[in-house]
Amino acid sequence: HPETAADLSRIRAEQNAVATALPVLESVVTRRPDDVAARARLGVLYLDHRNYRQAGVELRAAAEALQSSPVFVALGNALMGEGDREGATTAYLRALELEPDHRAALRGLALACFLAAGDPERPSSTASALSAQGAASRALDLARGGRYGEAATTFSQALGREAEALSGDRDADLPGL
């Protein structure tokens, strides 16, 4: 089938590009460990390959130097992959200090709070719903204070109100947003 052949060819080309990029970036970082941009790129590449430990090493080295919300979010994702919810929460909060409406940071923080509170029911909900009713700032304050259960409840309430506002339906399906 022509589309399948084209798709397979595209995927193979992307895999070759990644396979080439990994050793190149590793070489750059080995020769110049102070190149924080290369370390951030290498960390993201490791993260994409679910090598969370190596991703965390590289992203930790880059995060503070670059002061970049996306790098802190990537670090949070790597730490979540390692099972370090507390470290991930700290990274997401750091990203939000730099960029208060960063959607990926809000989403990551919500997931970390839900998991810490033992409530994995809403981790796929969109972060845009969190900021709509102003509840996000309350939930963030609760998370910063280590009150993850209350933060998860506040995030859930904000998501519910946003779904109602968007659909006019009290039984809105949040994952469908």
Side-chain angles (χ1 to χ4, degrees), residues 1 9 16 28 32 44 46 57 68 73 81 87 99 103 120 124 129 143 151 157 160 169-170 176-177:
H1 198 268
S9 177
N16 288 339
V28 168
R32 295 190 325 238
V44 169
Y46 282 138
V57 168
S68 162
V73 169
E99 195 175 335
R103 293 184 187 284
S124 64
Q157 291 168 351
D169 180 1
R170 297 195 66 84
L177 291 176

Side-chain angles (χ1 to χ4, degrees), residues 24 33 36 48 51 58 61 74 85 93 110-111 126 128 132-134 138 141 166 174:
V24 168
V36 291
D48 288 344
N51 185 343
E58 300 305 333
R85 287 193 299 256
L93 288 170
L111 174 61
T126 59
S128 61
Q133 301 292 326
R138 287 194 309 278
D141 289 341
L166 289 174
L174 285 174

Side-chain angles (χ1 to χ4, degrees), residues 56-86:
V57 168
E58 300 305 333
L59 292 165
R60 275 186 199 94
E64 286 300 327
L66 291 174
Q67 293 294 301
S68 162
S69 290
V71 175
F72 279 109
V73 169
L75 175 58
N77 293 343
L79 294 170
M80 284 292 284
E82 287 185 77
D84 180 2
R85 287 193 299 256
E86 186 174 323

